[in-house]
């Protein structure tokens, strides 16, 4: 017995994929998933044990710009240079920022839409 289902909705869900720096190429659409901040251990007062002064405490956090699409213009590891929808360039350091690759069609569409809304606001 074969079973088929019909879907009236044509919505397709895509997933952003984590990507290593060496797999990023010019023309990809990427966004920041998370960032790492390093603080000196003497500023870290959330532990019952003391740590050596020269040891860094690493924290992973979600930045406010997470989800904003960027178009990669050049890669020189560990740096990835990308263009924002607004037109200015940004440099990512893959040692401190975890990047994800956006689906090509979604990335292009979002990037164009965000660029249009920004240009309208400035006029």
């Amino acid at each position: 017995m074969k079973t088929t289902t019909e879907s009236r909705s044509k919505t397709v869900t895509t997933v952003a994929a984590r990507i290593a720096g060496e797999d990023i190429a010019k023309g990809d659409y990427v966004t920041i998933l998370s960032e790492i901040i390093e603080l000196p251990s003497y500023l870290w007062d959330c532990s019952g044990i003391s740590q050596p002064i020269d040891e860094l405490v690493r924290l992973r956090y979600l930045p406010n710009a997470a989800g904003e699409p960027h178009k990669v213009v050049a890669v020189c590891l560990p740096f990835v240079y990308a263009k924002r929808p607004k037109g200015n360039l940004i440099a990512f350091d893959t040692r401190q920022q975890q990047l994800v690759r956006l689906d090509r069609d979604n990335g292009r569409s979002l990037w164009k839409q965000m660029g249009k809304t920004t240009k309208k606001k400035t006029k």
Side-chain angles (χ1 to χ4, degrees):
M1 172 191 251
K2 292 185 179 180
T3 305
T4 59
T5 58
E6 288 185 31
S7 175
R8 292 186 178 133
S9 173
K10 293 187 180 184
T11 305
V12 177
T13 301
T14 59
V15 177
R18 288 183 187 214
I19 186 168
E22 57 268 13
D23 295 330
I24 298 172
K26 183 178 178 180
D28 283 345
Y29 291 93
V30 297
T31 190
I32 302 171
L33 180 65
S34 62
E35 290 191 47
I36 296 174
I37 299 175
E38 295 178 333
L39 299 171
S41 61
Y42 61 83
L43 292 177
W44 189 252
D45 195 26
C46 296
S47 176
I49 59 170
S50 60
Q51 298 174 339
I53 288 180
D54 59 343
E55 188 174 322
L56 294 175
V57 175
R58 289 178 181 82
L59 302 172
R60 181 175 299 272
Y61 81 101
L62 303 176
N64 291 337
E68 181 182 342
H70 298 81
K71 186 174 183 179
V72 176
V73 294
V75 178
C76 184
L77 292 178
F79 305 106
V80 175
Y81 301 93
K83 192 180 228 184
R84 290 180 169 153
K86 300 172 188 171
N88 51 347
L89 291 175
I90 185 170
F92 297 110
D93 184 342
T94 59
R95 298 169 295 181
Q96 292 182 328
Q97 296 165 317
Q98 173 66 56
L99 300 178
V100 291
R101 182 186 302 156
L102 300 173
D103 173 72
R104 191 163 209 57
D105 293 333
N106 287 343
R108 184 182 307 119
S109 175
L110 288 168
W111 198 73
K112 286 180 180 178
Q113 290 298 320
M114 290 180 82
K116 287 179 184 177
T117 57
T118 304
K119 289 176 183 173
K120 286 180 183 177
K121 287 181 183 178
T122 58
K123 287 184 179 179

